Amino acid sequence: MSLRLSSLDPNEPRAAKDCRICNRRRIKCDRSLPTCKKCDLKSLSCPGYGLRIQWGQGVASRGKLTGKTLPVLEPVSTEDSDKGLKGSLDRTNSATSLGDRLTKMESTSTSSLSEALPTPDATTTPLDSTVLEAMPGHEHLPSLLQDPGVQELLQHYDTQVASVMPWIDGPTNGWRTVMLPLTTRSLSLLLAILALAAEHFTATKKQSRRSDYYRDWSLRLLAQDLRKDLEEDSLDERNEHVSGTLATILILCNMEMIRSDNELWTVHWKAVRTITRRWTTTNPPTLPLDPSLRFLIKEAFVYDVFASSTTFHQGDSIPSSIVSDSDRNIFSDWLEIIQEVTHTERCLHDDPDSAQISHHLRDANFLRDRFEYARASSLHYSHLVQLNSGATSLRNDLAQLIEIFHYSGLLYSFQALLNVEDSGPARQELVQHTVHSIDQIQECNAFQHDFVWPLFIIGTESRASPDLQQFVESRVQTAMKSTGFSNCEPSLRFLKHFWQTSPDTVVDWLQFGRQEADRGFTFLVI
């Protein structure tokens, strides 16, 4: 069956440019909205005419990143749709060397790793010449992994960085068990991990490692991977490329969070949102989700929930529905409530009469019931969490962590949705419970990275309490020193400025946050 343009309703609105699938097939697109009918007739997934990721120059306006090539989101221009790149974007025994473990990882294809690496900047000290060679055969890792400097950085990622990425470290930490195997099939991811490890190594060891060297390489290859995501016809090939692409962007996002003076995490966050929504929100999903991609999508959702809670005007979030029932874990229900509360607060601010508002969330008793259910769910899943051997004391700490997020989440919800004056006594009680639960943690080093969001929330309630302000600032500083991630510095600056405001002029931190966002100040608490 064919479709002739002359048979279409001339009064129906049309897109200004062909869709990318028709462009690639070299046929004339009918430009129907929201997606073209020619793709539909061929049972092809039409990309439509929505958002795209374009790799533009000069996203950073100052510093060493000025003029670097970075991913940015733009609406597809009706006059410029063909310009730029398009797209809508058990840990083994620690005594075993990382190199040995990597060589045992199953690798279905190393063709992308055998390609010549991009030429680094002239100012960058090149690696040993063996790095530019590729070892033949699927049974070997590319020679890049044999470089001693690379091995050192991978070991640092494995032992120091990956341990602070999940809620709690353990044998099934996907930042090891998923990310490291993916590096054997995605060179852009490998380079991104090296960039993250180098940045973290510099921050914690005070010994400089050239993270920008690996980051720039990763960004160049990521552009190629994005093209493959759009062009691959095989679902297996597309799945593999999407996994590598999403993993790379998540790693780069975390790399930008190590420095306190860097806001490029927002660029990567938008890219994570776009590529996750693009491949998972269709019905049925565009891709079959293998375990690696399911892990990455789950992590993208977690990141999105936290990032959304302290930022404004950021567009559509990643829906909780993308996390399958089989992938639900210790804080899944809690995260869903926080996302719903954030969405409701934003809708209330923009349009109090919006049909999207969940009015039942504005009832304190209903909120308490929802969080009680989430707490019970978290306690259930906590017994399934695998902890590192010899860490039996962590089980009690994990239960306390659930209490911390229970009280701080309820506090955030009261702040966002209830009357400030009416909820005052309840909020102060929740602050006390959160502080008490934090003090009950015995193995603090295992949970420092989990404290920052609850600390920020109780910090927003300490405007009239110097002692509480000192507690929050001290514990956030300790968390940053322990983890090596200094992205909390902007949130501390925000809190200090907020503490100086008067309740008569600034009702709460959400009002102040919007004012700061309008001035161009953004911060992330995760």
Side-chain angles (χ1 to χ4, degrees):
M1 177 179 179
S2 63
L3 181 72
R4 296 183 180 275
L5 296 181
S6 59
S7 67
L8 298 173
D9 184 352
N11 297 319
E12 187 176 310
R14 303 275 174 229
K17 292 288 184 179
D18 295 353
C19 80
R20 292 186 293 279
I21 297 296
C22 289
N23 257 335
R24 193 177 55 164
R25 295 173 63 206
R26 292 187 174 91
I27 64 172
K28 189 170 182 60
C29 181
D30 63 79
R31 301 181 184 178
S32 300
L33 295 173
T35 57
C36 86
K37 292 182 173 60
K38 288 198 172 184
C39 286
D40 185 58
L41 288 172
K42 289 289 186 180
S43 298
L44 299 173
S45 178
C46 182
Y49 316 95
L51 292 176
R52 74 179 182 185
I53 292 177
Q54 175 177 319
W55 292 73
Q57 295 288 336
V59 174
S61 59
R62 62 184 185 275
K64 70 178 184 179
L65 296 179
T66 302
K68 296 298 183 185
T69 301
L70 298 167
V72 295
L73 278 179
E74 293 183 351
V76 174
S77 167
T78 57
E79 300 177 354
D80 191 28
S81 67
D82 294 325
K83 184 177 180 181
L85 176 66
K86 303 181 184 74
S88 67
L89 202 256
D90 90 276
R91 190 184 183 191
T92 51
N93 192 311
S94 58
T96 306
S97 72
L98 179 62
D100 291 342
R101 283 152 49 194
L102 282 171
T103 55
K104 295 177 182 178
M105 292 175 180
E106 180 181 3
S107 174
T108 59
S109 172
T110 57
S111 58
S112 62
L113 296 173
S114 65
E115 298 172 356
L117 298 176
T119 304
D121 297 337
T123 57
T124 305
T125 303
L127 294 172
D128 185 88
S129 60
T130 58
V131 173
L132 300 178
E133 301 172 358
M135 297 179 68
H138 292 180
E139 71 276 11
H140 297 292
L141 292 172
S143 57
L144 175 61
L145 294 177
Q146 309 309 316
D147 182 87
V150 168
Q151 283 285 346
E152 179 186 41
L153 290 177
L154 284 174
Q155 193 72 31
H156 183 79
Y157 171 84
D158 180 43
T159 59
Q160 304 297 318
V161 181
S163 62
V164 299
M165 304 301 277
W167 296 97
I168 183 169
D169 195 13
T172 58
N173 181 349
W175 293 89
R176 293 191 186 94
T177 62
V178 172
M179 290 293 190
L180 289 176
L182 274 177
T183 62
T184 65
R185 304 191 296 275
S186 172
L187 183 53
S188 63
L189 173 60
L190 173 59
L191 293 168
I193 285 179
L194 293 176
L196 170 61
E199 191 73 31
H200 191 269
F201 192 97
T202 300
T204 56
K205 305 293 185 182
K206 307 304 178 184
Q207 300 176 24
S208 179
R209 295 292 187 273
R210 296 298 302 275
S211 63
D212 56 337
Y213 179 59
Y214 300 109
R215 179 206 59 207
D216 292 348
W217 268 1
S218 177
L219 287 169
R220 294 170 194 161
L221 294 181
L222 186 54
Q224 298 175 17
D225 291 342
L226 285 167
R227 292 190 185 95
K228 292 177 182 178
D229 292 345
L230 296 174
E231 295 172 358
E232 290 293 350
D233 293 325
S234 164
L235 286 179
D236 289 339
E237 291 177 335
R238 184 178 291 176
N239 198 310
E240 180 176 309
H241 288 138
V242 171
S243 294
T245 299
L246 184 54
T248 299
I249 300 173
L250 282 170
I251 291 291
L252 290 173
C253 198
N254 280 279
M255 190 209 77
E256 303 297 356
M257 289 162 52
I258 293 178
R259 293 177 51 194
S260 62
D261 61 344
N262 200 333
E263 294 185 3
L264 292 177
W265 57 266
T266 59
V267 177
H268 297 299
W269 172 33
K270 292 177 182 179
V272 166
R273 272 186 163 185
T274 301
I275 195 171
T276 302
R277 289 178 63 86
R278 172 178 174 79
W279 295 119
T280 62
T281 56
T282 57
N283 189 20
T286 306
L287 289 176
L289 305 183
D290 65 14
S292 295
L293 190 52
R294 282 162 45 197
F295 164 78
L296 295 168
I297 287 172
K298 180 175 62 178
E299 291 303 310
F301 172 69
V302 172
Y303 191 101
D304 194 53
V305 170
F306 282 111
S308 299
S309 68
T310 57
T311 52
F312 307 88
H313 320 304
Q314 294 293 347
D316 293 335
S317 59
I318 298 174
S320 60
S321 58
I322 69 169
V323 180
S324 65
D325 291 340
S326 60
D327 289 325
R328 299 186 69 81
N329 57 26
I330 185 168
F331 286 112
S332 294
D333 290 285
W334 185 91
L335 289 164
E336 288 183 8
I337 301 175
I338 296 300
Q339 183 185 65
E340 190 175 352
V341 167
T342 299
H343 175 74
T344 301
E345 194 279 336
R346 302 305 188 261
C347 289
L348 280 169
H349 178 268
D350 295 338
D351 180 8
D353 299 322
S354 172
Q356 301 182 58
I357 296 175
S358 301
H359 291 283
H360 54 280
L361 284 176
R362 306 192 69 185
D363 179 82
N365 290 328
F366 180 84
L367 284 170
R368 288 185 185 277
D369 289 344
R370 285 285 302 274
F371 275 96
E372 284 295 339
Y373 177 85
R375 174 161 62 178
S377 173
S378 295
L379 288 171
H380 166 74
Y381 280 106
S382 70
H383 297 294
L384 306 178
V385 173
Q386 296 184 39
L387 303 175
N388 287 327
S389 58
T392 53
S393 61
L394 293 178
R395 191 66 65 180
N396 291 333
D397 284 347
L398 186 56
Q400 285 298 327
L401 185 69
I402 293 171
E403 296 296 293
I404 292 170
F405 278 92
H406 170 76
Y407 292 123
S408 61
L410 194 54
L411 174 58
Y412 168 70
S413 302
F414 281 12
Q415 292 174 333
L417 301 178
L418 302 186
N419 180 276
V420 173
E421 295 181 359
D422 294 343
S423 64
R427 297 200 318 272
Q428 288 305 309
E429 181 181 358
L430 291 170
V431 168
Q432 294 172 11
H433 285 313
T434 306
V435 171
H436 175 73
S437 296
I438 292 175
D439 285 336
Q440 295 303 303
I441 297 289
Q442 299 297 312
E443 301 289 340
C444 287
N445 285 338
F447 297 95
Q448 290 290 0
H449 57 291
D450 296 318
F451 294 158
V452 291
W453 192 87
L455 286 169
F456 172 81
I457 297 300
I458 63 176
T460 62
E461 291 288 343
S462 60
R463 187 158 47 177
S465 174
D467 289 342
L468 190 55
Q469 292 173 13
Q470 184 178 6
F471 172 83
V472 169
E473 182 175 2
S474 174
R475 296 302 295 260
V476 170
Q477 294 285 5
T478 300
M480 288 191 292
K481 182 178 180 181
S482 173
T483 62
F485 285 78
S486 59
N487 63 293
C488 295
E489 286 287 357
S491 64
L492 272 182
R493 292 200 300 272
F494 173 87
L495 285 175
K496 290 177 180 179
H497 292 156
F498 176 66
W499 293 337
Q500 297 172 4
T501 64
S502 168
D504 296 331
T505 56
V506 179
V507 176
D508 55 28
W509 76 270
L510 291 164
Q511 177 190 348
F512 190 62
R514 284 191 172 88
Q515 294 173 1
E516 293 295 284
D518 290 341
R519 298 187 188 104
F521 178 78
T522 59
F523 63 95
L524 176 69
V525 183
I526 186 171

